């Protein structure tokens, strides 16, 4: 699917042009004729004969960026000096750092922060381990743990390649909830090793955020860690996605004046995200759901069902539909896709019920073109930032962990997830609610605080374990 120029493919080209004449306007024209967008143009050095200019522009992808550079180089008198990818520049040296919260200006301060004064604090914790939440970073720290096996839409690219993503996650924790998060990228994809590693590092953290671990291993990793640890374990790919989907669907159904208890919901995707979304939708009252994977509808008559698919078959598709996704979508009120790109067409959406709701969340390319879907559906949401109604997990996980840490919760319950979804949906006021605004912006100032308050109230102190649907 064609995309528009994006700041994520933004470049700065440092070049020289002859002074005077139409040089500057020619540069702008060259970028625009190549399909790019000029976002800044700065003269960094001027002389009587030459101008040094930094041209910053947005492209569609890396090939398009090179095409823009070629077009600039073709302008008469232009000499290219340097091309910088702004996204790579942002990542140079990493995106996060550790800072001391206390001054260390003299011997007195050093003696309290470190030896000998710190020994008294250590002994207090040795006498009562719960004091670690009060006297150390544990009270505000989350480990962001991955094995690099399912990174974004990139697949199994390994722990080193996952690190920039985990750094970004840590930065989001800090920006939106004031939480100190630490990337933990494990060089193993063995369930036993992952579980044991997280178990032995857990004393230093107030919560564990599992990230980008492939299914079905992620289910077992989370289950076992919940049993072993007395701090919350939250798999964002599952539960963060589920919270956002339920919040958005709650508001979308208000727009079309339908109820979750009576609508027909078709889902594409039975992996980690799909499984969690399904469970939360059922907990919220959904009754008529059909889930499809790459083999078609999940139903009790299939002979390839593992434990996860068996659960889905037992709790959905009461009529035993056994066809493909296109058939399952016909007449449906809601489509939720957490699967693969381009698996539906506008004609498929046209076959849905009147005032249909379409959540095509595969990223970067959705299950169906949002433009085509919008021709037939009343409400369309995606995982992309260049269309209305972006379903983005950053709407959920910072506030969820803020509430968990503040409550000193020992686990995550389904009631907390439902409360978080309800609070997130309520950020959109009745006056604001509409087909193109069913979910707030990630920069809305009330999102994290509202979600945190709901989770904190639901926790009611120290919750233990995780109650499944």
């Amino acid at each position: 699917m064609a995309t528009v120029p994006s700041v994520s493919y933004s470049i700065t080209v440092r070049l020289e042009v002859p002074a005077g004449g139409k040089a500057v306007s020619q540069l702008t024209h060259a970028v625009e004729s190549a399909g790019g967008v000029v976002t800044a143009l700065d003269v960094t050095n001027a002389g009587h004969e030459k101008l040094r200019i930094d041209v910053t522009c947005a492209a569609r992808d890396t090939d398009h960026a090179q095409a823009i550079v070629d077009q600039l180089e073709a302008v008469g008198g232009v000499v290219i000096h340097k091309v910088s990818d702004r996204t790579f520049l942002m990542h140079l040296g990493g995106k996060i750092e550790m800072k001391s919260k206390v001054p260390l200006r003299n011997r007195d301060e050093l003696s309290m922060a470190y030896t000998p004064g710190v020994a008294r604090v250590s002994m207090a914790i040795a006498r009562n381990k719960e004091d670690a939440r009060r006297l150390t970073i544990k009270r505000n720290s989350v480990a962001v743990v991955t094995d690099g096996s399912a990174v974004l839409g990139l697949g199994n690219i390994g722990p080193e390649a996952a690190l920039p993503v985990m750094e970004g996650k840590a930065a989001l924790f800090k920006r939106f909830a004031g939480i100190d998060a630490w990337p933990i990228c494990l060089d193993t994809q063995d369930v036993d090793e992952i579980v044991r590693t997280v178990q032995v590092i857990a004393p230093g953290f107030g919560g564990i955020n599992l990230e980008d671990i492939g299914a079905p291993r992620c289910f077992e990793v989370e289950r076992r860690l919940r049993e072993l640890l007395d701090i919350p374990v939250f798999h964002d790919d599952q539960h963060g996605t589920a919270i956002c989907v339920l919040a958005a669907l709650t508001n979308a159904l208000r727009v079309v004046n339908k109820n979750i208890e009576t609508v027909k919901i078709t889902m594409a995707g039975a992996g980690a995200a799909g499984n969690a979304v399904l469970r939360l939708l059922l907990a919220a009252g959904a009754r008529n759901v059909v889930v499809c994977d790459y083999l078609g509808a999940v139903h009790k008559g299939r002979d390839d069902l593992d434990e996860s698919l068996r659960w889905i078959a037992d709790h959905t598709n009461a009529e035993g539909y056994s066809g493909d996704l296109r058939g399952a979508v016909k007449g449906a009120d809601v489509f939720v896709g957490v699967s693969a790109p381009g698996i539906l067409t506008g004609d498929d959406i046209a076959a849905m019920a009147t005032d249909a709701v379409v959540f095509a969340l595969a990223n970067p390319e959705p299950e169906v073109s949002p433009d085509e879907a919008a021709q037939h559906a009343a409400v369309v949401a995606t995982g992309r930032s260049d269309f209305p109604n972006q379903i983005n997990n950053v709407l959920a996980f910072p506030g969820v962990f803020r509430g968990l840490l503040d409550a000193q919760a020992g686990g995550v319950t389904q009631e907390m997830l439902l409360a978080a979804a309800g609070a997130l949906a309520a950020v959109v006021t009745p006056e604001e609610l509409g087909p193109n605004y069913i979910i707030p912006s990630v920069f809305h100032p009330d999102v994290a605080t509202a979600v945190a308050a709901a989770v904190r109230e639901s926790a009611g102190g120290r919750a233990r374990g995780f109650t499944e649907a």
Side-chain angles (χ1 to χ4, degrees):
M1 183 177 67
T3 59
V4 297
S6 166
V7 70
S8 61
Y9 290 101
S10 182
I11 59 173
T12 296
V13 184
R14 175 161 292 179
L15 47 77
E16 281 188 351
V17 297
K22 300 180 179 180
V24 174
S25 62
Q26 287 177 322
L27 295 177
T28 301
H29 177 73
V31 173
E32 292 176 348
S33 66
V37 176
V38 175
T39 57
L41 196 150
D42 301 304
V43 177
T44 61
N45 193 291
H48 294 295
E49 297 182 356
K50 296 285 186 180
L51 294 179
R52 178 169 292 177
I53 300 176
D54 284 351
V55 180
T56 301
C57 51
R60 293 189 298 270
D61 52 37
T62 53
D63 290 338
H64 186 219
Q66 183 58 53
I68 292 172
V69 174
D70 294 342
Q71 194 82 354
L72 285 168
E73 196 167 21
V75 175
V78 165
V79 177
I80 303 288
H81 284 281
K82 183 179 182 181
V83 180
S84 300
D85 186 312
R86 294 179 64 216
T87 298
F88 276 80
L89 287 177
M90 177 182 280
H91 287 76
L92 281 178
K95 301 184 295 293
I96 59 175
E97 63 181 358
M98 195 283 287
K99 289 186 177 180
S100 175
K101 294 167 61 177
V102 299
L104 297 173
R105 298 165 298 194
N106 52 52
R107 186 173 296 277
D108 283 354
E109 291 170 347
L110 184 61
S111 296
M112 288 187 289
Y114 196 53
T115 186
V118 72
R120 295 172 53 215
V121 180
S122 294
M123 289 308 299
I125 296 172
R127 290 189 292 269
N128 179 16
K129 289 195 297 184
E130 288 299 308
D131 274 347
R133 291 183 185 265
R134 185 171 63 91
L135 296 172
T136 73
I137 61 172
K138 182 183 180 76
R139 68 181 297 172
N140 196 49
S141 290
V142 169
V144 183
V145 180
T146 187
D147 64 355
S149 62
V151 181
L152 297 178
L154 305 174
N156 189 354
I157 59 176
E160 292 85 1
L163 185 53
V165 181
M166 301 309 114
E167 284 185 8
K169 201 82 172 188
L172 295 174
F173 268 110
K174 191 67 173 180
R175 163 64 176 82
F176 293 105
I179 293 171
D180 297 315
W182 312 90
I184 308 294
C185 298
L186 305 180
D187 191 13
T188 179
Q189 295 182 6
D190 178 82
V191 170
D192 292 337
E193 286 192 329
I194 294 171
V195 170
R196 180 56 181 160
T197 301
V198 176
Q199 180 186 10
V200 297
I201 66 171
F205 300 97
I208 304 295
N209 183 60
L210 301 176
E211 191 74 27
D212 293 348
I213 299 174
R217 289 177 299 107
C218 60
F219 301 126
E220 184 178 358
V221 169
E222 184 189 18
R223 178 186 60 78
R224 288 172 57 180
L225 287 173
R226 289 200 309 264
E227 294 172 352
L228 289 168
L229 302 182
D230 62 353
I231 58 176
V233 178
F234 184 88
H235 187 196
D236 186 48
D237 300 321
Q238 295 184 62
H239 309 306
T241 302
I243 289 168
C244 294
V245 168
L246 177 57
L249 183 58
T250 299
N251 283 339
L253 293 178
R254 288 171 179 160
V255 170
V256 298
N257 196 29
K258 295 182 181 182
N259 298 314
I260 194 169
E261 294 86 358
T262 57
V263 293
K264 177 185 176 182
I265 301 173
T266 297
M267 292 184 57
N275 195 289
V277 168
L278 170 65
R279 289 172 183 257
L280 202 60
L281 292 181
L282 293 176
R287 295 291 176 264
N288 185 2
V289 185
V290 174
V291 178
C292 296
D293 62 9
Y294 69 100
L295 292 176
V298 178
H299 60 92
K300 293 181 180 179
R302 278 179 42 172
D303 58 6
D304 64 331
L305 302 181
D306 58 20
E307 182 179 355
S308 176
L309 291 177
R310 173 59 62 186
W311 190 96
I312 293 174
D314 288 342
H315 291 82
T316 64
N317 197 1
E319 296 181 1
Y321 172 75
S322 59
D324 62 8
L325 174 63
R326 284 191 166 88
V329 165
K330 288 181 181 178
D333 299 282
V334 178
F335 169 72
V336 178
V338 280
S339 54
I343 56 177
L344 293 176
T345 67
D347 290 340
D348 296 317
I349 305 305
M352 294 179 67
T354 303
D355 291 331
V357 174
V358 173
F359 287 4
L361 306 182
N363 212 359
E365 185 175 345
E367 285 83 357
V368 60
S369 163
D371 291 328
E372 290 186 23
Q375 295 177 24
H376 307 286
V379 180
V380 177
T382 72
R384 294 169 59 110
S385 60
D386 51 351
F387 290 95
N389 299 325
Q390 183 191 20
I391 308 295
N392 189 329
N393 286 10
V394 74
L395 289 163
F397 70 81
V400 168
F401 269 100
R402 181 72 278 155
L404 291 170
L405 292 172
D406 290 348
Q408 295 189 18
V412 185
T413 66
Q414 194 170 75
E415 288 71 26
M416 295 178 193
L417 304 185
L418 291 170
L424 179 56
V427 172
V428 178
T429 67
E431 295 75 22
E432 297 171 320
L433 183 63
N436 292 316
Y437 193 67
I438 59 171
I439 197 81
S441 163
V442 297
F443 294 103
H444 193 297
D446 297 335
V447 166
T449 53
V451 172
V455 171
R456 187 165 54 245
E457 181 178 353
S458 179
R462 300 193 178 188
R464 299 296 180 193
F466 185 101
T467 304
E468 295 286 5

